[in-house]
Amino acid sequence: MPLPSIHQIIEHFQDSVYVIDPDTSRILWCNQAGYASLGYQKDEIINHSVLSLQKDMAGLPQWDDIAQVIHNSPDGYTFVGRHQHKNGDETAVEVVTTVLTENDQTYFLSVARDITRRMAYEQSLHTREDSVWFAINEASDGIWEWELDTDYVFFSPQLKKMLGYGPDEMAPHVDTWVRNVHPEDLDYVWSVLDNHLKGHRSRYEAQYRLRNRNGHYLWVHDRGKVSSRDDNGRPTRVVGMVHDITDHKTMQAQLEQLAHYDILTGVANRREGMRQVQAQLQAAKFNQTGACLLVVDFDNFKRINDLHGHQTGDDVLKQGAQLLAKGLNQNDCIYRWGGEEFVILLNGLSESAAEKRAEILHQRFAETDWQAHGIDALTLSIGISILGPHGHKLDELLKHADNAAYQAKDKGRNQTVIAPTPSKDDPTPAR
C-alpha cells in the first residue's frame, strides 16, 4: 500500500504550518490549517508578512532580533503569542520555529498550535489551586512547608496568628519551629518526622505542645507528608497542617480527672486508688522494701453533717483530705475509700515509722483551726496493717487495717491501732 506524500500529511495537520522568508518575514507557503483557522483564503496569506498575523510583534526591527535568536537556536525557538483572526478575534498560539535549509536556501519552518483551551484549563487549575489552598488554610489552624535543602520553612499567616504573631514575624527557618516545641516533646516529634522522611511511615503525624508568643503552650495535632523528591528519591520538601487541639486536650484531662479522682476531695477515687496501691504493693514485695496501709476515719463526721449541713461537711472533707495528702512521698498513695474514710499506703516504712506518721496526722489535725467550719475540732481514728511475708494482698491488708480503725473508734476515737501481722492462714474476719 503506497503511503501518502509528505505534502498530503502536512496538509492534514491540525496545527498551522508556515514556511517563512527569514529576511523579509513573508509567508512563502502554509497548509490549510494555516489560513483556514484564521478565516482567510490561501491567497490572502501567501506573500504577506507574518507580522500581519502576529499581535505581539511591533515591526521588522523586532523581527530581525527574533530571526537572529531563531538562527542561534539549534533545538528550535518557542514563542507564545496571539494570532489575529480575520474578523478581529484573537487566538492564543504556541509557535515553534526551526531553521530549514534546502538547495542552499534558508527558510524558517513555523508550527503554530492553538492553545486557547490549554490556557483556559491552566487558568482553571490555577484558580482551583488557589481555592484549594484557601480552603485548606481556612479548614486548619495553620499550614507549613519545609524545604529540606535550605531549612527554609513557610509559615502561613493563619499559623502565625494561632501562635500570636503578626504576618511579618516568625523567621522562616526550621529552628523557629524547633525552639517552640516543648522540650519534653521534641525528641518524640523529631523521631516521628524522621521516620517519615526515611520512608518508615506513610506520613508524619504527631500531637505535641507548641509555645505561643506569650510563652504558653498549646496542644497541636500536626500532620505532614513529603511532597517532592530529588532524582535519587531523597525528600526535598515536606508540607503539613496544624490544628489547635488545646480545648480537646483540656476536656480530655477533665474527663480523666473525673474517671480517676474523687470530685469532692481531689484525691484518687476508690477504683483508681486500689489500682495504684496494688501496683505499689507488688513493687514493695518484689523489692522487699516493706509498706504500711492506713485506714483513716474522721471521727463523728455524721454529727457535723447533721448539725451544720452537708455543705459544711463537704468543706471539712476537702480540707481533711488535703491534710492527709500533705507530705506524702512520690511512691505513697492516698484515695477516698468511701464517705469519710480514706486509705493511705506508705512505702518503705517499718511499724514504728508508720506509727510516727500516724501521730503526725493526729497532731496536724489537732493544730488546725476548724472554727471557719463552725466546729471546734476534727479527730481521726487510724488503723494500720503492715505488709508481711503472707499479707501482700490488698484485700487482706484492708481487712486488718479496717478492723484496727474500728478498734480505735471502740477505744474512744482519736487514736491509732496497729493490726497484728497477717499469718499464712489468717482467720480474722472483716468487720
Side-chain angles (χ1 to χ4, degrees), residues 60-81:
L60 283 175
Q62 186 180 2
W63 169 259
D64 291 338
D65 293 339
I66 293 176
Q68 187 62 41
V69 174
I70 295 172
H71 279 296
N72 295 329
S73 302
D75 296 327
Y77 172 72
T78 301
F79 177 79
V80 177

Side-chain angles (χ1 to χ4, degrees), residues 25-29 42-50:
S25 78
R26 289 187 304 113
I27 299 174
L28 304 178
W29 179 88
K42 189 169 186 177
D43 58 2
E44 295 178 288
I45 292 291
I46 300 302
N47 290 322
H48 282 257
S49 171
V50 71

Side-chain angles (χ1 to χ4, degrees), residues 138-405:
E138 291 300 312
S140 67
D141 292 311
I143 296 174
W144 52 268
E145 186 175 28
W146 177 24
E147 295 177 2
L148 276 67
D149 292 340
T150 62
D151 277 339
Y152 172 88
V153 178
F154 164 77
F155 299 108
S156 72
Q158 198 89 341
L159 189 150
K160 295 178 181 179
K161 180 180 178 181
M162 180 188 76
L163 296 178
Y165 292 95
D168 297 325
E169 298 180 287
M170 288 184 68
H173 196 275
V174 70
D175 287 345
T176 303
W177 170 76
V178 171
R179 286 194 299 267
N180 284 340
V181 177
H182 195 288
E184 295 178 3
D185 299 337
L186 184 58
D187 288 343
Y188 156 70
V189 175
W190 200 254
S191 173
V192 174
L193 180 56
D194 187 55
N195 282 336
H196 171 59
L197 296 178
K198 291 178 178 178
H200 302 322
R201 292 173 177 259
S202 60
R203 66 176 180 176
Y204 154 73
E205 184 169 4
Q207 293 184 11
Y208 59 92
R209 289 162 288 182
L210 195 61
R211 185 177 58 199
N212 66 10
R213 185 175 191 165
N214 296 327
H216 301 298
Y217 283 95
L218 307 175
W219 274 100
V220 298
H221 184 187
D222 194 7
R223 289 175 290 178
K225 193 174 181 67
V226 172
S227 61
S228 63
R229 299 179 182 273
D230 61 17
D231 294 339
N232 296 317
R234 292 189 295 259
T236 58
R237 190 183 300 266
V238 187
V239 296
M241 63 174 61
V242 179
H243 288 273
D244 182 353
I245 59 171
T246 304
D247 291 343
H248 170 74
K249 281 290 186 178
T250 301
M251 182 177 295
Q252 187 180 44
Q254 292 172 347
L255 291 175
E256 290 178 356
Q257 182 78 10
L258 292 174
H260 300 298
Y261 292 87
D262 180 59
I263 300 175
L264 177 62
T265 63
V267 301
N269 59 26
R270 182 168 183 164
R271 180 176 181 179
E272 173 63 15
M274 292 181 73
R275 185 194 67 80
Q276 293 179 9
V277 169
Q278 186 64 66
Q280 291 296 335
L281 286 175
Q282 293 293 341
K285 182 172 184 287
F286 179 79
N287 297 320
Q288 297 183 341
T289 55
C292 302
L293 193 75
L294 281 64
V295 170
V296 181
D297 197 336
F298 292 177
D299 293 330
N300 300 312
F301 186 77
K302 183 177 183 300
R303 184 183 303 172
I304 296 175
N305 277 331
D306 292 342
L307 294 178
H308 303 282
H310 288 282
Q311 182 60 57
T312 298
D314 288 349
D315 293 340
V316 170
L317 272 177
K318 285 190 285 187
Q319 186 171 357
Q322 293 171 1
L323 292 174
L324 293 177
K326 183 179 179 181
L328 293 181
N329 296 324
Q330 182 178 0
N331 292 328
D332 296 337
C333 305
I334 179 173
Y335 69 90
R336 186 181 179 187
W337 196 12
E340 67 274 19
E341 289 183 306
F342 295 83
V343 173
I344 300 175
L345 178 73
L346 301 176
N347 260 294
L349 296 187
S350 63
E351 180 178 319
S352 60
E355 192 172 12
K356 290 180 180 178
R357 289 288 291 272
E359 185 57 38
I360 291 174
L361 291 179
H362 285 297
Q363 184 177 355
R364 189 179 295 163
F365 272 67
E367 294 173 350
T368 298
D369 183 7
W370 298 97
Q371 290 297 326
H373 304 300
I375 60 176
D376 295 329
L378 180 65
T379 61
L380 307 173
S381 293
I382 302 176
I384 300 177
S385 60
I386 310 301
L387 177 62
H390 306 295
H392 65 278
K393 292 183 179 180
L394 176 57
D395 56 349
E396 293 178 1
L397 291 172
L398 277 173
K399 178 180 65 175
H400 289 282
D402 187 35
N403 281 331

Side-chain angles (χ1 to χ4, degrees), residues 10 17-20 29 70 77 95-100 107-111:
I10 296 177
V17 181
Y18 303 94
V19 177
I20 303 169
W29 179 88
I70 295 172
Y77 172 72
V95 183
V96 179
T97 301
T98 55
V99 177
L100 172 65
Y107 306 95
F108 285 165
L109 178 64
S110 293
V111 178

